[in-house]
Amino acid sequence: MINDVFVIDGVGHAMDFSDSNVVESVPPEQIGGFRAFGYSGFVEQIESKEPGYRLTFDEWMTHITAEDLASAFFVESDVDLVVGHAVEIKPLFKNGMFRWDVLLDLRALAPDRVLLYAAVDTFDTERAAIYEHMARSVEQGAIGFKFYPSNGMFDRQNNRLVSQFYDDPENAYPLFERAQELGVKTVAFHKAQPVGVGPNSVVGVQDISTAAAEFPDLTFEVVHAGWAFLEDTAYQLQYHPNVYANLENTLGLVVNQPRRFAHILGTLLRAGAEDRLIFGSGCALNHPDPQIRAFIDFEMPQELVDGYGYPPVTLATKRKILGENIARLHGIDIEQRKSAIASDEWSRKRAEGKAPPWSGLRTRLGNGAAN
């Protein structure tokens, strides 16, 4: 446990960009461009340059297993709990881009350490099938739902990205009502990062503002908050106490772009959102360990405190962002959870010493412990 901070990673992904998971009809140039965009955006921009952390392109686009994730989170880093987010993107991936079945396997490996957000495919034309999937996911343990504003496809007939805005009373609100009927109180939305060709308005946050006002008993997590639309996101946090900023990938900027990160974090803290910011590594998009270490060491530059009015970032603030905020959101008693995991398999392995980065994945692939 780093600096005695209990760490909950607010976004974990069971990635599967492998050839076997790609829909056969997808043109090679399309999936090739998708993979290249992701690798350059996440590995090359966010991942630490320390030895071993940067996966090769072939390593990164493999089928990530539950064992790979458990090693990365619980043995190779200081993550104590993780919230797994599933994502479909059915036009591209047979079993989901971020797989639900693997997240279930991960929970089976570490039942006291894994929480689950199930994917909701807004673009399924059978509404009854969506409702059935949501119900089945809750039966399997989902405590939140993850929404994507596009399936990544470009509608050439209408010259626009296939998209869904979540202030839509006809198409979106019934999904939120269904979540409430199932007892789910948290809905999370991919925002701020591009999802395909076309205007980026679909990953803006204005629709979340309207939905949050309409559903005050739901918590709306804006995922990748601050990567873009920073001022709009800050306004959302000021206006709506039920909007949270999930800093997946955004917090990762602290590793290689600390000045950019300082402005993002400072803007959100200045908006009074200290109790509604959530750490998310996005692993296996990136490794969580460098992000956690860099954030623990981060200090708001004094000239930004003086020049922009950003609050200093204290250890108490870091504790909230790294775990306490999302623990409170989901009613997790941290001291009880510490006791529950104190002697489990993963605590015993970590006690032997933090394993090298991606050592679980690379051992399985036969690539050794580091590059």
Side-chain angles (χ1 to χ4, degrees):
M1 193 172 296
I2 188 167
N3 284 31
D4 197 36
V5 174
F6 192 81
V7 178
I8 302 176
D9 193 329
V11 183
H13 288 313
M15 289 165 40
D16 189 355
F17 297 145
S18 66
D19 289 341
S20 63
N21 192 37
V22 176
V23 174
E24 284 82 358
S25 60
V26 175
E29 62 273 14
Q30 182 178 7
I31 191 62
F34 184 92
R35 289 164 167 164
F37 173 80
Y39 187 82
S40 64
F42 299 114
V43 177
E44 294 179 355
Q45 186 168 181
I46 296 174
E47 194 64 88
S48 172
K49 298 176 183 178
E50 299 171 87
Y53 282 103
R54 293 202 167 191
L55 294 173
T56 67
F57 185 77
D58 287 342
E59 289 172 332
W60 191 76
M61 59 172 267
T62 192
H63 170 201
I64 302 294
T65 69
E67 290 79 8
D68 299 338
L69 290 173
S71 179
F73 287 122
F74 309 134
V75 185
E76 304 164 23
S77 80
D78 292 288
V79 173
D80 297 298
L81 269 67
V82 63
V83 183
H85 287 218
V87 174
E88 294 282 358
I89 312 293
K90 288 181 179 177
L92 294 181
F93 300 103
K94 299 174 185 176
N95 301 299
M97 180 173 69
F98 303 143
R99 295 177 58 157
W100 175 250
D101 58 340
V102 177
L103 291 178
L104 293 176
D105 292 342
L106 177 63
R107 188 187 58 187
L109 287 177
D112 291 316
R113 293 177 177 266
V114 179
L115 308 174
L116 300 174
Y117 286 11
V120 178
D121 182 10
T122 309
F123 306 97
D124 192 324
T125 56
E126 296 293 332
R127 187 53 60 115
I130 299 177
Y131 294 156
E132 181 180 349
H133 170 76
M134 293 173 74
R136 185 168 59 253
S137 299
V138 171
E139 290 173 359
Q140 293 174 309
I143 62 168
F145 288 120
K146 178 67 172 284
F147 295 85
Y148 247 56
S150 174
N151 63 4
M153 296 295 102
F154 191 77
D155 181 351
R156 296 194 179 279
Q157 182 176 354
N158 295 302
N159 196 35
R160 65 177 181 85
L161 190 70
V162 176
S163 58
Q164 169 70 64
F165 290 90
Y166 291 101
D167 56 357
D168 183 339
E170 181 178 352
N171 294 309
Y173 288 2
L175 299 174
F176 305 153
E177 291 165 356
R178 180 61 170 158
Q180 290 179 310
E181 291 169 1
L182 293 169
V184 172
K185 298 180 180 180
T186 301
V187 285
F189 303 84
H190 176 102
K191 289 290 182 179
Q193 290 182 340
V195 291
V197 176
N200 64 6
S201 56
V202 70
V203 293
V205 298
Q206 293 301 329
D207 56 332
I208 300 301
S209 178
T210 306
E214 187 69 20
F215 291 87
D217 294 330
L218 282 178
T219 296
F220 289 75
E221 281 187 41
V222 177
V223 182
H224 310 297
W227 187 276
F229 308 102
L230 176 58
E231 294 293 343
D232 287 343
T233 302
Y235 293 146
Q236 304 300 312
L237 293 165
Q238 286 181 300
Y239 297 152
H240 304 290
N242 59 329
V243 171
Y244 278 58
N246 187 310
L247 302 176
E248 181 195 354
N249 302 137
T250 308
L251 190 141
L253 295 170
V254 71
V255 177
N256 297 319
Q257 301 179 45
R259 189 78 171 190
R260 177 182 174 189
F261 172 73
H263 279 291
I264 293 170
L265 181 62
T267 300
L268 299 179
L269 289 174
R270 192 177 57 191
E274 179 178 286
D275 294 330
R276 287 175 287 137
L277 305 182
I278 296 170
F279 161 59
S281 72
C283 179
L285 291 172
N286 298 106
H287 203 286
D289 187 58
Q291 300 183 35
I292 296 167
R293 289 187 285 108
F295 184 55
I296 285 290
D297 292 340
F298 174 80
E299 294 184 3
M300 184 64 69
Q302 188 60 46
E303 66 268 26
L304 299 187
V305 175
D306 296 338
Y308 289 85
Y310 298 155
V313 183
T314 65
L315 181 58
T317 299
K318 294 172 184 176
R319 286 181 183 275
K320 291 180 179 182
I321 295 171
L322 286 173
E324 290 177 356
N325 288 343
I326 196 165
R328 184 183 66 256
L329 177 61
H330 291 301
I332 297 169
D333 185 307
I334 289 178
E335 293 305 316
Q336 288 181 357
R337 196 58 63 104
K338 283 182 183 178
S339 297
I341 67 175
S343 58
D344 70 2
E345 172 187 358
W346 311 105
S347 288
R348 293 194 299 271
K349 286 183 177 180
R350 191 190 292 172
E352 297 172 1
K354 192 180 291 183
W358 305 119
S359 52
L361 169 64
R362 288 182 169 134
T363 297
R364 178 176 63 81
L365 296 177
N367 294 353
N371 287 345

